[in-house]
Amino acid sequence: SDYMLRNFNLFRLEATHEIRDDVSDAVRRMQPSKDGKSFRGWARMAMSIPKDDPRHEPIEFVHIGKANVGEDKPSKVRIKMRLNFSAAREDVFKEWDELKRFDVVFLVHAKQDAKHGDANNVEYIRGAEIVDIRDDEGVPANEGFPEQPKDTSTNNKHPPPPPDAMDEGPKNPSGYDRVFTLEVDCAQYQRDLETFDGDVTRLHEMYKRFNCVIRRRPKENNFKAILACIRDCLNQNMNAPEWLQDVFLGYGDPSSASPDALERENVENNQKRTKIDFKDTFLDEAHLRESFPEKKVIFDSEMPVPPFKVTFAIDEGGADSNVVNVESYIPPDPGPYPEDVKNQNMVRFTPTQVEAVKSGVREGLTLIVGPPGTGKTDVATQILHCLYHTNPNQRVVLITHSNAALNDLFQKIMIRDVPERYLLRLGRGEEDLTTDKDFSRTGRVDYMLRRRLELLEIVERLAMSIDETLANAAETCETAGFFWKSKVLALWERFTMLVLNNKETPVSYERIRTQFPFAKFFEDVPGGYENLFGDPSEANVEYAIRKAKGCFRHLVEMFTELEECRFLELLKMPKDRAEYLLTKQAKIVAMTCTYAALKRSDFLDLNFKYDTVVFEEAAQILEIESFIPLALQRAKDIDGHARLKRVVMIGDHNQLPPVVKNQTFSKFCHMDQSCFSRLVRSGVPNIVLDAQGRARKQISKLYSWRYKKLDDLPHVSTEQRFQLANAGMAKVAQFIDCSSFAPESCPQPHYFQNLQEAEYLCSLYQWMRLCGYPAQSISVLTTYRGQKHLLRDVFKARCDTHPLFGPPASISTVDKYQGQQNDIVLLSLVRTKHVGHLRDVRRLVVSLSRARLGVYVFGAKKIFENVDELKPALKTLMNDTKLEVIKGEVFGHISRKFDDVVSDDAKKSFKDNDEFASFIDQCALEYKKAALQHLKNQQQ
């Protein structure tokens, strides 16, 4: 309770701080007049409430519910508010129309305070939840609102549409007028009423004086639901599993929840351990031996081939033995069709990565520290792959901080050997998946409906191939199941008894081929049925038996999938189908930590159950947001056993921590300390991945000093792309000094910009595009939000619509780009007076580790060269701070190595942006002339 209460109070205070900042910023941009009747400015997140429409009150009360038993506040208070968006930009108008039910907005009475300036522009403010948004004709603003309001208390005057209009589908809203139905805070309403001594008229007059409504970004505006979730956890008996509770709260032995400790408890009377089926983790025998360099590996056969089952023996004292027993086995034949053969792992995992996989598939708490480029996502994918195949009846919940990281991991799982019907992606970020398939709940239901029809057609073809009188066997999933048990399974058992297991008559290739009961059905296999069981001239009986079992396995999988579609025939409502899919069908359920907090009550109502939680980006997740995913189900089953068996946390506490805007909470309350970082600091056993394969060596050494050991994978030294220089650039990594001509500016508090630095960076991007670099291989990063907006404006003016340049892959802040990467990174440090928040070395580690082939840093050398925290990273970059380019080189057609010496005649250096920009203009003109001449020659 103390743990939950502390987090509740901290989160509430942090949310209050963020709301105050957002409201103050919006009101300052609106520039209210002294009397509050008009606004001279404009804000994207705010709209003025019109007062000059004589037909309607700007704000009117439509329903005040009676108090519940035992309470003195109203049960519900609803108001209507009318806004006109005719003066707003189209994109802003669209954003307001896309607001959803339960989104929170803030009603403000703002006026200019001549004495205190912007600090006291807000006279009073009240929060409200959106119930409905419609146009003047009653058409809902978006599909999130019902066609007709269900609540008659809102005095809806619009009649229901005529029957003919029902076939036309939902209408789109028209005009620029919108009517918002809002539900205000009942407790605050009662307080206001007491302030006015119970005078309802005066109270309503106060509400009608609101002159501005403010919204917030969706991701930042979910504080109410998350606080309600934490409150529910606080009021309920929410205990973590017994094996995790003490370690999670910081008591006892830090290693007591590790897989080794839990397994040692389970086998303290038995010297053998459970075998771990690593599936396709190992590529060959040599790979397995490399993965256990200090162990004695004993195989059960002379010529072992993967996959392998591994047993780690223990000695009499309970400690790990030096012996590893390996069992090689032949997996069953997947089936005769190409789609039956699944993708296999092609990553040659390092010993530490194998250790991470080994720990992650066992029960207990696993912490994996992954420095940049060490394959954290690949390790997480392999853990999920092994968990599904070794525990197919268990469910895994996958949690990340950002949608981008979740989609990256989810897409890697999609291409592995996990059936598509068992994958489910929850939350708004699903549409950003780079696939045509829909993995949302409704998308999975639609997929299952289509798949059901496809499977029934195949079953009908199978039935006709066996007996033409069985035409009705595939009418429904139920009849198909009866057909499976009565015909298909009976035929296979008869074939097995008479052919495969007949003791009187030896099995032969010819008997298998001629008496196989499903020969007619498998006539369409690649290569034809005559070659299905192997080359007839060789007559390999073992191979023929294996192929026959593979064909039957194909049928088993087909009827199993069809049986799983049966719920579609029993449940008719889309909501019921989606809930069944979540609670019964899906095996890997992916969501962000925010979505988990928002929907926890729904998960509990559905009796959602899971056995494993895997956290990716664990070091970026707030402490309380790490706890909530562990509490999406009841702690124990009916029989009293803890359902949660594994918690796997993957992250890097040496990179950026969770975002906390209030520095007081961050510094004195350690609110920015993630649960992952706290567990690592408290001594919980963790596995540190120690080999990176993302960046060339010249870049990785800029941040490898932050880790105890971080080597390069062999391909970093052998692949050609890491050996070649960057076309047109003298160096692959460089600090470019801008201190002599690029001063910083701060048009708003904490909104730092540097125009000359932005222009210089844009010029370098243009040079790279002239050298042939693809735009999608270049990312532009900066350490400040103000500079990000300035860079976007500069690129929009100089590059976006230019036929030679175009926009880069992304323009983002370093904090938002964590977890992503690109070939080339152009980084703007902005500050020229003070170091700013780059003094946090974790932010610099993230900045420099996003690039694979080249990183170019723009900043003021005199500011950053003397910062002790940054010297290990920047000292090698600052040897030569003048930008140097090489003319005549083309991307993709360069043979120069990165360490080749370039003559001074071939290089051209620049002291500032003006000189470089003139050079770019000249090169662009030459490029244009050459292109026109080439086109002219082709025409001739």
Side-chain angles (χ1 to χ4, degrees):
S1 297
D2 292 342
Y3 171 84
M4 298 299 299
L5 182 60
R6 176 183 184 274
N7 281 281
F8 177 83
N9 289 329
L10 284 176
F11 194 93
R12 182 173 59 178
L13 291 170
E14 170 67 8
T16 304
H17 173 79
E18 293 178 359
I19 292 170
R20 184 185 65 180
D21 284 354
D22 290 345
V23 170
S24 299
D25 180 67
V27 172
R28 181 182 54 78
R29 292 173 183 272
M30 292 289 286
Q31 299 180 26
S33 60
K34 292 182 179 180
D35 56 6
K37 294 182 178 180
S38 62
F39 295 90
R40 300 186 304 275
W42 173 86
R44 187 185 195 95
M45 311 303 290
M47 280 296 298
S48 61
I49 302 176
K51 305 285 187 179
D52 53 357
D53 190 347
R55 299 173 300 167
H56 306 288
E57 289 284 347
I59 295 178
E60 57 180 317
F61 284 80
V62 295
H63 179 68
I64 301 178
K66 294 182 180 181
N68 295 324
V69 176
E71 296 182 352
D72 56 358
K73 65 180 181 180
S75 60
K76 184 183 297 184
V77 179
R78 284 190 176 180
I79 64 175
K80 272 190 177 180
M81 174 184 65
R82 298 179 181 273
L83 298 180
N84 181 275
F85 293 92
S86 57
R89 291 184 347 213
E90 284 297 324
D91 58 331
V92 176
F93 180 31
K94 183 179 179 182
E95 290 175 3
W96 282 90
D97 259 0
E98 290 176 349
L99 290 175
K100 306 292 183 184
R101 182 174 172 83
F102 303 121
D103 282 351
V104 177
V105 295
F106 298 91
L107 302 172
V108 178
H109 182 262
K111 63 180 183 179
Q112 183 181 0
D113 190 305
K115 182 177 180 181
H116 299 95
D118 293 337
N120 284 354
N121 277 350
V122 177
E123 186 173 0
Y124 50 85
I125 178 175
R126 297 293 182 267
E129 259 187 2
I130 293 177
V131 176
D132 195 38
I133 306 176
R134 298 178 182 272
D135 65 7
D136 271 347
E137 297 180 357
V139 178
N142 60 63
E143 60 185 11
F145 303 108
E147 286 297 313
Q148 290 296 321
K150 295 181 180 180
D151 192 353
T152 57
S153 63
T154 57
N155 299 325
N156 181 36
K157 299 179 182 179
H158 300 287
D164 295 342
M166 300 297 288
D167 298 332
E168 299 176 2
K171 293 183 178 179
N172 294 323
S174 60
Y176 291 99
D177 291 319
R178 294 290 182 268
V179 180
F180 286 68
T181 302
L182 306 175
E183 191 166 303
V184 300
D185 185 355
C186 301
Q188 184 63 54
Y189 177 87
Q190 183 63 28
R191 287 185 182 180
D192 293 337
L193 186 61
E194 295 171 357
T195 302
F196 288 102
D197 299 325
D199 191 337
V200 177
T201 303
R202 290 171 58 197
L203 172 62
H204 288 192
E205 287 298 322
M206 183 200 81
Y207 273 76
K208 291 178 182 179
R209 290 207 304 271
F210 285 123
N211 57 3
C212 177
V213 58
I214 298 174
R215 63 186 173 92
R216 301 176 71 216
R217 293 177 179 84
K219 190 170 183 179
E220 300 170 352
N221 204 32
N222 49 34
F223 65 94
K224 184 175 182 293
I226 296 179
L227 284 171
C229 174
I230 303 174
R231 180 198 60 198
D232 292 343
C233 293
L234 185 61
N235 293 332
Q236 298 168 358
N237 184 20
M238 292 305 305
N239 293 324
E242 294 179 0
W243 58 268
L244 180 62
Q245 188 167 338
D246 286 350
V247 172
F248 192 87
L249 294 177
Y251 298 116
D253 181 6
S255 63
S256 61
S258 67
D260 287 338
L262 294 182
E263 192 168 351
R264 196 174 296 117
E265 290 180 7
N266 294 334
V267 297
E268 57 184 5
N269 297 321
N270 186 353
Q271 298 305 314
K272 293 183 179 180
R273 289 192 175 183
T274 306
K275 292 179 182 177
I276 299 177
D277 190 347
F278 280 93
K279 293 299 179 180
D280 58 359
T281 302
F282 303 109
L283 303 185
D284 49 42
E285 175 193 352
H287 183 200
L288 188 144
R289 292 185 182 277
E290 294 167 3
S291 300
F292 306 107
E294 298 179 359
K295 302 282 187 180
K296 181 182 179 181
V297 180
I298 302 176
F299 289 94
D300 66 341
S301 61
E302 296 182 358
M303 299 184 64
V305 293
F308 299 114
K309 292 181 180 179
V310 182
T311 303
F312 299 89
I314 56 176
D315 56 26
E316 296 181 357
D320 285 338
S321 171
N322 196 39
V323 177
V324 174
N325 297 305
V326 182
E327 175 187 337
S328 177
Y329 69 96
I330 300 176
D333 187 89
Y337 296 100
E339 57 268 24
D340 293 330
V341 181
K342 306 301 182 182
N343 293 329
Q344 297 291 307
N345 167 52
M346 300 302 294
V347 178
R348 198 173 188 87
F349 291 109
T350 65
T352 52
Q353 288 176 324
V354 171
E355 182 67 22
V357 174
K358 167 194 167 185
S359 180
V361 299
R362 294 188 295 164
E363 296 182 5
L365 173 63
T366 297
L367 300 184
I368 302 173
V369 180
T374 52
K376 296 187 292 292
T377 305
D378 290 331
V379 170
T381 302
Q382 191 64 22
I383 290 174
L384 293 169
H385 171 80
C386 291
L387 282 175
Y388 165 74
H389 285 284
T390 55
N391 303 279
N393 295 322
Q394 296 185 5
R395 180 176 290 115
V396 179
V397 172
L398 178 59
I399 301 290
T400 67
H401 173 260
S402 66
N403 281 304
L406 187 61
N407 290 340
D408 184 32
L409 179 52
F410 195 80
Q411 285 168 181
K412 289 194 174 185
I413 300 171
M414 285 164 48
I415 62 176
R416 295 301 303 276
D417 185 13
V418 179
E420 182 181 333
R421 64 186 184 275
Y422 293 143
L423 300 177
L424 183 61
R425 168 69 164 90
L426 301 178
R428 290 186 176 181
E430 188 275 334
E431 58 270 14
D432 296 329
L433 285 170
T434 57
T435 177
D436 295 333
K437 299 175 182 178
D438 186 353
F439 283 90
S440 65
R441 275 190 277 194
T442 55
R444 289 298 84 195
V445 171
D446 292 342
Y447 166 79
M448 295 293 286
L449 286 168
R450 294 192 304 271
R451 187 64 180 155
R452 171 182 170 273
L453 296 177
E454 294 172 2
L455 291 172
L456 287 176
E457 289 182 3
I458 299 174
V459 171
E460 183 178 4
R461 184 165 62 87
L462 174 63
M464 296 297 290
S465 70
I466 295 174
D467 188 346
E468 293 185 358
T469 63
L470 300 174
N472 297 328
E475 287 188 351
T476 64
C477 295
E478 184 178 8
T479 58
F482 179 75
F483 166 67
W484 158 256
K485 293 179 180 178
S486 62
K487 293 293 182 180
V488 180
L489 190 56
L491 287 172
W492 174 257
E493 290 177 348
R494 184 173 182 272
F495 172 76
T496 303
M497 181 179 63
L498 297 179
V499 179
L500 301 185
N501 297 333
N502 193 334
K503 297 181 179 180
E504 297 178 358
T505 306
V507 62
S508 66
Y509 172 86
E510 189 61 26
R511 292 189 65 201
I512 294 174
R513 191 180 68 83
T514 56
Q515 298 187 31
F516 186 64
F518 312 111
K520 189 174 180 181
F521 177 74
F522 287 105
E523 287 178 347
D524 62 342
V525 297
Y529 179 77
E530 59 275 7
N531 296 314
L532 174 61
F533 302 103
D535 190 347
S537 62
E538 297 180 359
N540 189 325
V541 175
E542 291 186 2
Y543 181 80
I545 294 174
R546 176 175 168 80
K547 297 306 291 185
K549 291 182 178 180
C551 291
F552 183 70
R553 179 182 174 85
H554 174 83
L555 297 178
V556 170
E557 291 291 332
M558 182 177 69
F559 280 96
T560 300
E561 186 175 356
L562 194 55
E563 178 63 24
E564 292 174 353
C565 294
R566 190 178 176 186
F567 76 94
L568 298 170
E569 299 174 354
L570 302 176
L571 304 175
K572 300 300 182 182
M573 298 300 294
K575 181 174 179 292
D576 295 336
R577 290 172 170 177
E579 290 176 353
Y580 180 92
L581 196 75
L582 171 65
T583 57
K584 303 294 184 182
Q585 177 85 2
K587 302 301 182 187
I588 298 178
V589 181
M591 68 188 86
T592 62
C593 55
T594 302
Y595 186 89
L598 294 176
K599 300 296 182 180
R600 177 181 175 271
S601 60
D602 295 340
F603 289 131
L604 290 177
D605 292 341
L606 294 172
N607 198 22
F608 180 64
K609 296 180 180 180
Y610 53 93
D611 305 87
T612 304
V613 180
V614 177
F615 291 90
E616 169 72 297
E617 289 186 331
Q620 288 184 268
I621 302 176
L622 287 171
E623 178 88 39
I624 188 60
E625 291 180 335
S626 297
F627 175 79
I628 290 175
L630 306 179
L632 300 182
Q633 64 180 350
R634 292 173 178 83
K636 295 182 178 181
D637 285 335
I638 298 176
D639 57 3
H641 296 296
R643 174 85 183 192
L644 187 63
K645 300 177 178 63
R646 301 173 197 83
V647 176
V648 181
M649 290 187 167
I650 307 173
D652 183 8
H653 57 291
N654 290 307
Q655 298 188 53
L656 287 174
V659 177
V660 177
K661 293 185 178 180
N662 191 311
Q663 295 302 311
T664 301
F665 299 149
S666 176
K667 184 175 181 180
F668 297 105
C669 302
H670 299 291
M671 191 179 177
D672 65 340
Q673 178 179 248
S674 65
C675 177
F676 178 84
S677 302
R678 178 173 62 83
L679 292 175
V680 171
R681 289 182 59 191
S682 62
V684 175
N686 58 84
I687 300 166
V688 183
L689 306 183
D690 56 4
Q692 72 87 28
R694 172 190 298 172
R696 62 168 89 226
K697 192 170 185 177
Q698 293 72 23
I699 296 176
S700 65
K701 70 179 182 181
L702 298 176
Y703 53 84
S704 61
W705 58 274
R706 279 286 293 170
Y707 302 91
K708 185 175 181 180
K709 180 183 179 184
L710 183 58
D711 299 326
D712 296 323
L713 290 173
H715 73 267
V716 175
S717 302
T718 58
E719 283 191 14
Q720 187 180 31
R721 61 173 180 153
F722 293 117
Q723 299 304 306
L724 295 178
N726 292 333
M729 303 300 298
K731 296 181 174 64
V732 297
Q734 186 180 10
F735 187 98
I736 300 167
D737 187 19
C738 306
S739 56
S740 62
F741 62 89
E744 70 176 56
S745 61
C746 187
Q748 302 170 19
H750 312 294
Y751 195 79
F752 294 99
Q753 295 181 330
N754 192 320
L755 178 59
Q756 290 298 318
E757 194 171 289
E759 295 280 3
Y760 204 179
L761 186 150
C762 183
S763 296
L764 180 57
Y765 169 78
Q766 290 178 326
W767 167 249
M768 289 186 163
R769 293 289 288 130
L770 290 175
C771 291
Y773 287 85
Q776 291 305 307
S777 68
I778 305 174
S779 291
V780 176
L781 304 182
T782 181
T783 50
Y784 287 92
R785 183 167 55 92
Q787 185 74 348
K788 177 191 71 175
H789 294 153
L790 179 61
L791 282 165
R792 288 179 176 175
D793 291 339
V794 170
F795 274 81
K796 184 177 180 180
R798 295 179 55 179
C799 299
D800 285 9
T801 58
H802 198 289
L804 292 180
F805 307 125
S810 63
I811 301 176
S812 177
T813 60
V814 171
D815 296 44
K816 292 291 184 182
Y817 203 72
Q818 181 168 342
Q820 303 177 60
Q821 55 186 289
N822 211 337
D823 288 343
I824 305 294
V825 168
L826 308 181
L827 174 63
S828 172
L829 301 184
V830 187
R831 304 300 299 274
T832 58
K833 297 178 181 178
H834 303 283
V835 176
H837 60 203
L838 194 67
R839 188 179 292 274
D840 186 345
V841 71
R842 294 174 297 184
R843 183 167 282 104
L844 184 67
V845 169
V846 176
S847 304
L848 299 177
S849 61
R850 300 306 96 196
R852 288 188 286 259
L853 302 178
V855 57
Y856 301 93
V857 184
F858 293 78
K861 180 180 177 180
K862 63 181 182 181
I863 295 297
F864 295 100
E865 66 179 345
N866 295 320
V867 181
D868 292 337
E869 296 91 337
L870 309 182
K871 279 183 179 180
L874 296 182
K875 63 182 180 181
T876 57
L877 290 177
M878 291 184 175
N879 294 333
D880 187 359
T881 58
K882 278 190 176 182
L883 176 62
E884 293 181 335
V885 301
I886 301 174
K887 198 172 179 180
E889 293 184 341
V890 179
F891 175 82
H893 301 278
I894 181 174
S895 58
R896 177 170 60 90
K897 299 293 183 64
F898 67 87
D899 54 355
D900 289 348
V901 178
V902 181
S903 64
D904 294 337
D905 296 337
K907 294 186 294 186
K908 186 171 180 61
S909 61
F910 304 91
K911 62 181 181 180
D912 57 30
N913 175 58
D914 293 338
E915 184 180 357
F916 190 44
S918 299
F919 173 75
I920 295 295
D921 292 340
Q922 179 184 353
C923 292
L925 184 60
E926 294 176 1
Y927 185 95
K928 183 178 179 180
K929 288 180 179 179
L932 290 174
Q933 184 62 40
H934 178 71
L935 182 62
K936 184 177 179 181
N937 294 338
Q938 283 188 329
Q939 291 175 346
Q940 291 177 351

